[in-house]
Amino acid sequence: TNNNQPNNAEKPVVVQLDILPNNEIHWNGEVVNGRADLESRLGTVAKANPQPEFHIRPDKDASYAPVAEVLAESQRIGVKKIGIVGGEQFLQ
C-alpha cells in the first residue's frame, strides 16, 4: 500500500456536458430540458462532497451563448472544478 496516496485515490467523478452544433446541451449523454433542469443538475454537483469535475465540451460549430450560460450558472451555483475540454477540434 502506498501511504502517500489518500484511501480514495480513485479517479474523480466527471460530469461531461456537451454543447451540440444546434446549441442543445447534453449532461452525461442526456438532453438538458431548459434552464431549470440545468440549474437543478448544477445544484446537485455543487452540493456533492467532493465535487465531481465538470467538463464542458462545446462543439466547434456551437454558438458561444450556451457556453457562456453554462459557465455563468455554474459559477453562480457554486460549481468549483470546471474545465472546457475538446479544444483539439479547433486545431487545423
Side-chain angles (χ1 to χ4, degrees):
T1 310
N2 183 346
N3 291 333
N4 294 332
Q5 293 289 328
N7 290 336
N8 62 349
E10 303 153 9
K11 287 186 174 184
V13 174
V14 174
V15 171
Q16 177 75 37
L17 191 124
D18 293 295
I19 300 174
L20 305 185
N22 64 358
N23 296 331
E24 190 172 81
I25 299 171
H26 287 205
W27 183 287
N28 287 338
E30 297 176 3
V31 175
V32 174
N33 294 308
R35 189 177 189 132
D37 187 22
L38 177 64
E39 288 180 8
S40 174
R41 291 172 188 247
L42 289 171
T44 301
V45 169
K47 291 176 193 154
N49 186 14
Q51 282 192 12
E53 291 183 9
F54 190 65
H55 294 181
I56 302 169
R57 189 172 68 183
D59 185 276
K60 65 182 178 59
D61 294 324
S63 68
Y64 181 71
V67 178
E69 179 184 352
V70 167
L71 288 170
E73 287 298 314
S74 301
Q75 187 172 29
R76 182 181 69 78
I77 290 173
V79 176
K80 303 283 185 217
K81 299 177 183 176
I82 304 171
I84 296 182
V85 298
E88 66 278 357
Q89 67 184 314
F90 296 98
L91 299 177
Q92 302 255 341

